[in-house]
PDB file of all heavy atoms in Angstrom:
ATOM      1  N   GLN G 830      -4.474  84.592 110.137  1.00  0.00           N
ATOM      2  CA  GLN G 830      -5.051  84.127 108.888  1.00  0.00           C
ATOM      3  C   GLN G 830      -5.922  85.174 108.234  1.00  0.00           C
ATOM      4  O   GLN G 830      -6.356  84.969 107.067  1.00  0.00           O
ATOM      5  CB  GLN G 830      -5.804  82.833 109.128  1.00  0.00           C
ATOM      6  CG  GLN G 830      -4.949  81.691 109.578  1.00  0.00           C
ATOM      7  CD  GLN G 830      -5.759  80.411 109.817  1.00  0.00           C
ATOM      8  OE1 GLN G 830      -7.005  80.427 109.969  1.00  0.00           O
ATOM      9  NE2 GLN G 830      -5.108  79.235 109.815  1.00  0.00           N
ATOM     10  N   TYR G 831      -6.211  86.254 108.942  1.00  0.00           N
ATOM     11  CA  TYR G 831      -7.098  87.284 108.421  1.00  0.00           C
ATOM     12  C   TYR G 831      -6.256  88.391 107.771  1.00  0.00           C
ATOM     13  O   TYR G 831      -5.010  88.523 108.044  1.00  0.00           O
ATOM     14  CB  TYR G 831      -8.028  87.859 109.492  1.00  0.00           C
ATOM     15  CG  TYR G 831      -9.051  86.902 109.932  1.00  0.00           C
ATOM     16  CD1 TYR G 831      -8.835  85.988 110.940  1.00  0.00           C
ATOM     17  CD2 TYR G 831     -10.304  86.877 109.316  1.00  0.00           C
ATOM     18  CE1 TYR G 831      -9.761  85.056 111.307  1.00  0.00           C
ATOM     19  CE2 TYR G 831     -11.279  85.946 109.686  1.00  0.00           C
ATOM     20  CZ  TYR G 831     -11.061  85.087 110.713  1.00  0.00           C
ATOM     21  OH  TYR G 831     -11.986  84.167 111.107  1.00  0.00           O
ATOM     22  N   PRO G 832      -6.846  89.232 106.914  1.00  0.00           N
ATOM     23  CA  PRO G 832      -6.119  90.389 106.390  1.00  0.00           C
ATOM     24  C   PRO G 832      -5.552  91.229 107.478  1.00  0.00           C
ATOM     25  O   PRO G 832      -6.105  91.243 108.597  1.00  0.00           O
ATOM     26  CB  PRO G 832      -7.159  91.115 105.552  1.00  0.00           C
ATOM     27  CG  PRO G 832      -8.232  90.115 105.193  1.00  0.00           C
ATOM     28  CD  PRO G 832      -8.221  89.129 106.353  1.00  0.00           C
ATOM     29  N   ASP G 833      -4.456  91.933 107.163  1.00  0.00           N
ATOM     30  CA  ASP G 833      -3.735  92.715 108.221  1.00  0.00           C
ATOM     31  C   ASP G 833      -4.647  93.606 109.054  1.00  0.00           C
ATOM     32  O   ASP G 833      -4.501  93.660 110.216  1.00  0.00           O
ATOM     33  CB  ASP G 833      -2.625  93.499 107.552  1.00  0.00           C
ATOM     34  CG  ASP G 833      -1.506  92.662 107.057  1.00  0.00           C
ATOM     35  OD1 ASP G 833      -1.415  91.453 107.443  1.00  0.00           O
ATOM     36  OD2 ASP G 833      -0.656  93.195 106.263  1.00  0.00           O
ATOM     37  N   SER G 834      -5.578  94.294 108.378  1.00  0.00           N
ATOM     38  CA  SER G 834      -6.448  95.199 109.149  1.00  0.00           C
ATOM     39  C   SER G 834      -7.307  94.453 110.152  1.00  0.00           C
ATOM     40  O   SER G 834      -7.429  94.931 111.311  1.00  0.00           O
ATOM     41  CB  SER G 834      -7.286  96.011 108.165  1.00  0.00           C
ATOM     42  OG  SER G 834      -8.159  95.156 107.411  1.00  0.00           O
ATOM     43  N   LEU G 835      -7.839  93.346 109.769  1.00  0.00           N
ATOM     44  CA  LEU G 835      -8.661  92.567 110.659  1.00  0.00           C
ATOM     45  C   LEU G 835      -7.823  91.828 111.669  1.00  0.00           C
ATOM     46  O   LEU G 835      -8.190  91.648 112.870  1.00  0.00           O
ATOM     47  CB  LEU G 835      -9.534  91.566 109.905  1.00  0.00           C
ATOM     48  CG  LEU G 835     -10.712  92.156 109.172  1.00  0.00           C
ATOM     49  CD1 LEU G 835     -11.438  91.043 108.418  1.00  0.00           C
ATOM     50  CD2 LEU G 835     -11.664  92.847 110.130  1.00  0.00           C
ATOM     51  N   CYS G 836      -6.619  91.411 111.267  1.00  0.00           N
ATOM     52  CA  CYS G 836      -5.696  90.743 112.174  1.00  0.00           C
ATOM     53  C   CYS G 836      -5.357  91.689 113.465  1.00  0.00           C
ATOM     54  O   CYS G 836      -5.509  91.273 114.540  1.00  0.00           O
ATOM     55  CB  CYS G 836      -4.428  90.329 111.494  1.00  0.00           C
ATOM     56  SG  CYS G 836      -3.195  89.632 112.587  1.00  0.00           S
ATOM     57  N   ARG G 837      -5.079  92.901 113.110  1.00  0.00           N
ATOM     58  CA  ARG G 837      -4.825  93.882 114.145  1.00  0.00           C
ATOM     59  C   ARG G 837      -5.997  94.100 115.015  1.00  0.00           C
ATOM     60  O   ARG G 837      -5.938  94.267 116.313  1.00  0.00           O
ATOM     61  CB  ARG G 837      -4.294  95.180 113.574  1.00  0.00           C
ATOM     62  CG  ARG G 837      -2.901  95.074 112.895  1.00  0.00           C
ATOM     63  CD  ARG G 837      -2.354  96.433 112.591  1.00  0.00           C
ATOM     64  NE  ARG G 837      -3.134  97.170 111.601  1.00  0.00           N
ATOM     65  CZ  ARG G 837      -2.953  97.102 110.329  1.00  0.00           C
ATOM     66  NH1 ARG G 837      -2.004  96.286 109.794  1.00  0.00           N
ATOM     67  NH2 ARG G 837      -3.752  97.762 109.415  1.00  0.00           N
ATOM     68  N   LEU G 838      -7.179  94.229 114.422  1.00  0.00           N
ATOM     69  CA  LEU G 838      -8.408  94.467 115.111  1.00  0.00           C
ATOM     70  C   LEU G 838      -8.750  93.340 116.041  1.00  0.00           C
ATOM     71  O   LEU G 838      -9.020  93.569 117.231  1.00  0.00           O
ATOM     72  CB  LEU G 838      -9.580  94.679 114.105  1.00  0.00           C
ATOM     73  CG  LEU G 838     -10.931  95.068 114.658  1.00  0.00           C
ATOM     74  CD1 LEU G 838     -10.998  96.550 115.066  1.00  0.00           C
ATOM     75  CD2 LEU G 838     -12.068  94.782 113.677  1.00  0.00           C
ATOM     76  N   TYR G 839      -8.701  92.103 115.522  1.00  0.00           N
ATOM     77  CA  TYR G 839      -9.089  90.923 116.280  1.00  0.00           C
ATOM     78  C   TYR G 839      -8.093  90.582 117.308  1.00  0.00           C
ATOM     79  O   TYR G 839      -8.342  90.017 118.388  1.00  0.00           O
ATOM     80  CB  TYR G 839      -9.346  89.722 115.420  1.00  0.00           C
ATOM     81  CG  TYR G 839     -10.507  89.875 114.507  1.00  0.00           C
ATOM     82  CD1 TYR G 839     -10.555  89.135 113.271  1.00  0.00           C
ATOM     83  CD2 TYR G 839     -11.610  90.677 114.734  1.00  0.00           C
ATOM     84  CE1 TYR G 839     -11.643  89.227 112.390  1.00  0.00           C
ATOM     85  CE2 TYR G 839     -12.693  90.778 113.932  1.00  0.00           C
ATOM     86  CZ  TYR G 839     -12.712  90.017 112.732  1.00  0.00           C
ATOM     87  OH  TYR G 839     -13.822  90.136 111.878  1.00  0.00           O
ATOM     88  N   ASP G 840      -6.790  90.883 117.089  1.00  0.00           N
ATOM     89  CA  ASP G 840      -5.694  90.411 117.936  1.00  0.00           C
ATOM     90  C   ASP G 840      -5.638  91.144 119.273  1.00  0.00           C
ATOM     91  O   ASP G 840      -5.068  90.651 120.243  1.00  0.00           O
ATOM     92  CB  ASP G 840      -4.369  90.591 117.173  1.00  0.00           C
ATOM     93  CG  ASP G 840      -3.242  89.708 117.760  1.00  0.00           C
ATOM     94  OD1 ASP G 840      -3.426  88.499 117.632  1.00  0.00           O
ATOM     95  OD2 ASP G 840      -2.326  90.295 118.386  1.00  0.00           O
ATOM     96  N   ASP G 841      -6.200  92.385 119.397  1.00  0.00           N
ATOM     97  CA  ASP G 841      -6.117  93.186 120.536  1.00  0.00           C
ATOM     98  C   ASP G 841      -7.498  93.153 121.223  1.00  0.00           C
ATOM     99  O   ASP G 841      -8.492  93.615 120.695  1.00  0.00           O
ATOM    100  CB  ASP G 841      -5.764  94.603 120.164  1.00  0.00           C
ATOM    101  CG  ASP G 841      -5.561  95.483 121.368  1.00  0.00           C
ATOM    102  OD1 ASP G 841      -5.999  95.160 122.472  1.00  0.00           O
ATOM    103  OD2 ASP G 841      -4.988  96.593 121.148  1.00  0.00           O
ATOM    104  N   PRO G 842      -7.552  92.685 122.456  1.00  0.00           N
ATOM    105  CA  PRO G 842      -8.915  92.601 123.154  1.00  0.00           C
ATOM    106  C   PRO G 842      -9.547  93.944 123.290  1.00  0.00           C
ATOM    107  O   PRO G 842     -10.770  94.010 123.522  1.00  0.00           O
ATOM    108  CB  PRO G 842      -8.623  91.931 124.502  1.00  0.00           C
ATOM    109  CG  PRO G 842      -7.122  92.038 124.649  1.00  0.00           C
ATOM    110  CD  PRO G 842      -6.504  92.075 123.283  1.00  0.00           C
ATOM    111  N   SER G 843      -8.769  95.049 123.274  1.00  0.00           N
ATOM    112  CA  SER G 843      -9.360  96.337 123.435  1.00  0.00           C
ATOM    113  C   SER G 843     -10.070  96.818 122.138  1.00  0.00           C
ATOM    114  O   SER G 843     -10.868  97.746 122.234  1.00  0.00           O
ATOM    115  CB  SER G 843      -8.281  97.358 123.882  1.00  0.00           C
ATOM    116  OG  SER G 843      -7.394  97.618 122.822  1.00  0.00           O
ATOM    117  N   THR G 844      -9.721  96.267 121.002  1.00  0.00           N
ATOM    118  CA  THR G 844     -10.345  96.625 119.762  1.00  0.00           C
ATOM    119  C   THR G 844     -11.241  95.507 119.159  1.00  0.00           C
ATOM    120  O   THR G 844     -12.017  95.812 118.249  1.00  0.00           O
ATOM    121  CB  THR G 844      -9.324  97.028 118.730  1.00  0.00           C
ATOM    122  OG1 THR G 844      -8.382  95.955 118.523  1.00  0.00           O
ATOM    123  CG2 THR G 844      -8.516  98.238 119.166  1.00  0.00           C
ATOM    124  N   CYS G 845     -11.031  94.266 119.625  1.00  0.00           N
ATOM    125  CA  CYS G 845     -11.792  93.169 119.099  1.00  0.00           C
ATOM    126  C   CYS G 845     -13.315  93.389 119.358  1.00  0.00           C
ATOM    127  O   CYS G 845     -13.700  93.685 120.524  1.00  0.00           O
ATOM    128  CB  CYS G 845     -11.398  91.868 119.756  1.00  0.00           C
ATOM    129  SG  CYS G 845     -12.239  90.427 119.118  1.00  0.00           S
ATOM    130  N   PRO G 846     -14.104  93.289 118.384  1.00  0.00           N
ATOM    131  CA  PRO G 846     -15.604  93.419 118.582  1.00  0.00           C
ATOM    132  C   PRO G 846     -16.048  92.461 119.654  1.00  0.00           C
ATOM    133  O   PRO G 846     -15.652  91.282 119.633  1.00  0.00           O
ATOM    134  CB  PRO G 846     -16.182  93.064 117.204  1.00  0.00           C
ATOM    135  CG  PRO G 846     -15.142  93.328 116.230  1.00  0.00           C
ATOM    136  CD  PRO G 846     -13.828  93.049 116.892  1.00  0.00           C
ATOM    137  N   GLU G 847     -16.827  92.938 120.587  1.00  0.00           N
ATOM    138  CA  GLU G 847     -17.227  92.074 121.695  1.00  0.00           C
ATOM    139  C   GLU G 847     -17.996  90.887 121.291  1.00  0.00           C
ATOM    140  O   GLU G 847     -18.039  89.862 122.004  1.00  0.00           O
ATOM    141  CB  GLU G 847     -17.974  92.927 122.731  1.00  0.00           C
ATOM    142  CG  GLU G 847     -17.030  93.858 123.437  1.00  0.00           C
ATOM    143  CD  GLU G 847     -17.622  94.556 124.701  1.00  0.00           C
ATOM    144  OE1 GLU G 847     -18.845  94.571 124.759  1.00  0.00           O
ATOM    145  OE2 GLU G 847     -16.866  95.103 125.513  1.00  0.00           O
ATOM    146  N   GLN G 848     -18.630  90.883 120.118  1.00  0.00           N
ATOM    147  CA  GLN G 848     -19.375  89.780 119.690  1.00  0.00           C
ATOM    148  C   GLN G 848     -18.463  88.578 119.350  1.00  0.00           C
ATOM    149  O   GLN G 848     -18.911  87.449 119.261  1.00  0.00           O
ATOM    150  CB  GLN G 848     -20.234  90.115 118.440  1.00  0.00           C
ATOM    151  CG  GLN G 848     -19.438  90.547 117.272  1.00  0.00           C
ATOM    152  CD  GLN G 848     -20.338  91.176 116.151  1.00  0.00           C
ATOM    153  OE1 GLN G 848     -21.397  91.663 116.475  1.00  0.00           O
ATOM    154  NE2 GLN G 848     -19.894  91.128 114.936  1.00  0.00           N
ATOM    155  N   TYR G 849     -17.115  88.859 119.140  1.00  0.00           N
ATOM    156  CA  TYR G 849     -16.185  87.834 118.870  1.00  0.00           C
ATOM    157  C   TYR G 849     -15.135  87.703 119.963  1.00  0.00           C
ATOM    158  O   TYR G 849     -14.132  87.025 119.841  1.00  0.00           O
ATOM    159  CB  TYR G 849     -15.483  88.073 117.571  1.00  0.00           C
ATOM    160  CG  TYR G 849     -16.280  88.241 116.331  1.00  0.00           C
ATOM    161  CD1 TYR G 849     -16.014  89.267 115.391  1.00  0.00           C
ATOM    162  CD2 TYR G 849     -17.410  87.375 116.105  1.00  0.00           C
ATOM    163  CE1 TYR G 849     -16.803  89.353 114.289  1.00  0.00           C
ATOM    164  CE2 TYR G 849     -18.134  87.525 114.961  1.00  0.00           C
ATOM    165  CZ  TYR G 849     -17.854  88.528 113.973  1.00  0.00           C
ATOM    166  OH  TYR G 849     -18.642  88.692 112.924  1.00  0.00           O
ATOM    167  N   LEU G 850     -15.314  88.396 121.132  1.00  0.00           N
ATOM    168  CA  LEU G 850     -14.225  88.548 122.079  1.00  0.00           C
ATOM    169  C   LEU G 850     -13.728  87.291 122.569  1.00  0.00           C
ATOM    170  O   LEU G 850     -12.480  86.989 122.625  1.00  0.00           O
ATOM    171  CB  LEU G 850     -14.749  89.404 123.216  1.00  0.00           C
ATOM    172  CG  LEU G 850     -13.663  89.860 124.217  1.00  0.00           C
ATOM    173  CD1 LEU G 850     -12.644  90.786 123.579  1.00  0.00           C
ATOM    174  CD2 LEU G 850     -14.357  90.621 125.408  1.00  0.00           C
ATOM    175  N   LEU G 851     -14.623  86.374 123.026  1.00  0.00           N
ATOM    176  CA  LEU G 851     -14.116  85.089 123.623  1.00  0.00           C
ATOM    177  C   LEU G 851     -13.764  84.047 122.533  1.00  0.00           C
ATOM    178  O   LEU G 851     -13.289  82.975 122.906  1.00  0.00           O
ATOM    179  CB  LEU G 851     -15.118  84.590 124.615  1.00  0.00           C
ATOM    180  CG  LEU G 851     -15.424  85.558 125.806  1.00  0.00           C
ATOM    181  CD1 LEU G 851     -16.418  84.928 126.703  1.00  0.00           C
ATOM    182  CD2 LEU G 851     -14.093  85.909 126.522  1.00  0.00           C
ATOM    183  N   TRP G 852     -14.166  84.341 121.305  1.00  0.00           N
ATOM    184  CA  TRP G 852     -13.660  83.530 120.155  1.00  0.00           C
ATOM    185  C   TRP G 852     -12.121  83.684 120.022  1.00  0.00           C
ATOM    186  O   TRP G 852     -11.409  82.740 119.793  1.00  0.00           O
ATOM    187  CB  TRP G 852     -14.379  83.938 118.899  1.00  0.00           C
ATOM    188  CG  TRP G 852     -13.983  83.059 117.707  1.00  0.00           C
ATOM    189  CD1 TRP G 852     -12.792  83.105 116.982  1.00  0.00           C
ATOM    190  CD2 TRP G 852     -14.729  82.024 117.124  1.00  0.00           C
ATOM    191  NE1 TRP G 852     -12.838  82.198 115.981  1.00  0.00           N
ATOM    192  CE2 TRP G 852     -13.998  81.465 116.013  1.00  0.00           C
ATOM    193  CE3 TRP G 852     -16.011  81.502 117.434  1.00  0.00           C
ATOM    194  CZ2 TRP G 852     -14.476  80.459 115.231  1.00  0.00           C
ATOM    195  CZ3 TRP G 852     -16.417  80.449 116.630  1.00  0.00           C
ATOM    196  CH2 TRP G 852     -15.692  79.975 115.550  1.00  0.00           C
ATOM    197  N   PHE G 853     -11.680  84.930 120.137  1.00  0.00           N
ATOM    198  CA  PHE G 853     -10.266  85.256 119.850  1.00  0.00           C
ATOM    199  C   PHE G 853      -9.415  85.452 121.139  1.00  0.00           C
ATOM    200  O   PHE G 853      -8.194  85.488 121.036  1.00  0.00           O
ATOM    201  CB  PHE G 853     -10.169  86.545 119.005  1.00  0.00           C
ATOM    202  CG  PHE G 853     -10.551  86.345 117.585  1.00  0.00           C
ATOM    203  CD1 PHE G 853     -11.759  86.965 117.118  1.00  0.00           C
ATOM    204  CD2 PHE G 853      -9.819  85.582 116.717  1.00  0.00           C
ATOM    205  CE1 PHE G 853     -12.122  86.846 115.817  1.00  0.00           C
ATOM    206  CE2 PHE G 853     -10.179  85.406 115.408  1.00  0.00           C
ATOM    207  CZ  PHE G 853     -11.357  86.069 114.966  1.00  0.00           C
ATOM    208  N   HIS G 854     -10.036  85.546 122.304  1.00  0.00           N
ATOM    209  CA  HIS G 854      -9.277  85.858 123.495  1.00  0.00           C
ATOM    210  C   HIS G 854      -9.687  85.033 124.738  1.00  0.00           C
ATOM    211  O   HIS G 854     -10.915  84.856 124.948  1.00  0.00           O
ATOM    212  CB  HIS G 854      -9.360  87.351 123.858  1.00  0.00           C
ATOM    213  CG  HIS G 854      -8.784  88.244 122.722  1.00  0.00           C
ATOM    214  ND1 HIS G 854      -7.441  88.493 122.624  1.00  0.00           N
ATOM    215  CD2 HIS G 854      -9.403  88.827 121.730  1.00  0.00           C
ATOM    216  CE1 HIS G 854      -7.263  89.238 121.540  1.00  0.00           C
ATOM    217  NE2 HIS G 854      -8.477  89.501 120.981  1.00  0.00           N
ATOM    218  N   HIS G 855      -8.693  84.650 125.562  1.00  0.00           N
ATOM    219  CA  HIS G 855      -9.008  84.147 126.887  1.00  0.00           C
ATOM    220  C   HIS G 855      -8.734  85.264 127.861  1.00  0.00           C
ATOM    221  O   HIS G 855      -7.613  85.784 127.958  1.00  0.00           O
ATOM    222  CB  HIS G 855      -8.090  82.974 127.164  1.00  0.00           C
ATOM    223  CG  HIS G 855      -8.363  82.239 128.470  1.00  0.00           C
ATOM    224  ND1 HIS G 855      -7.890  82.748 129.695  1.00  0.00           N
ATOM    225  CD2 HIS G 855      -9.026  81.134 128.765  1.00  0.00           C
ATOM    226  CE1 HIS G 855      -8.302  81.916 130.655  1.00  0.00           C
ATOM    227  NE2 HIS G 855      -9.024  80.980 130.103  1.00  0.00           N
ATOM    228  N   LEU G 856      -9.770  85.633 128.613  1.00  0.00           N
ATOM    229  CA  LEU G 856      -9.698  86.842 129.389  1.00  0.00           C
ATOM    230  C   LEU G 856     -10.112  86.591 130.891  1.00  0.00           C
ATOM    231  O   LEU G 856     -10.956  85.674 131.089  1.00  0.00           O
ATOM    232  CB  LEU G 856     -10.598  87.942 128.853  1.00  0.00           C
ATOM    233  CG  LEU G 856     -10.215  88.461 127.414  1.00  0.00           C
ATOM    234  CD1 LEU G 856     -11.300  89.371 126.852  1.00  0.00           C
ATOM    235  CD2 LEU G 856      -8.909  89.229 127.516  1.00  0.00           C
ATOM    236  N   PRO G 857      -9.572  87.331 131.812  1.00  0.00           N
ATOM    237  CA  PRO G 857      -9.877  87.077 133.233  1.00  0.00           C
ATOM    238  C   PRO G 857     -11.355  87.522 133.532  1.00  0.00           C
ATOM    239  O   PRO G 857     -11.918  88.390 132.760  1.00  0.00           O
ATOM    240  CB  PRO G 857      -8.907  88.054 133.974  1.00  0.00           C
ATOM    241  CG  PRO G 857      -8.476  89.016 132.965  1.00  0.00           C
ATOM    242  CD  PRO G 857      -8.530  88.379 131.644  1.00  0.00           C
TER     243      PRO G 857
END
């Protein structure tokens, strides 16, 4: 739902800002 640049940023846990990490990702 976000612009392409942010979609790519948020979609990858390695690039997602850590302040939003568990908002966008379920991680071990």
Side-chain angles (χ1 to χ4, degrees):
Q830 294 182 340
Y831 289 90
D833 288 346
S834 58
L835 285 178
C836 175
R837 291 191 297 272
L838 184 77
Y839 294 155
D840 202 65
D841 184 343
S843 69
T844 59
C845 182
E847 289 189 342
Q848 62 192 24
Y849 303 138
L850 188 63
L851 300 180
W852 181 286
F853 287 113
H854 297 279
H855 186 279
L856 296 170

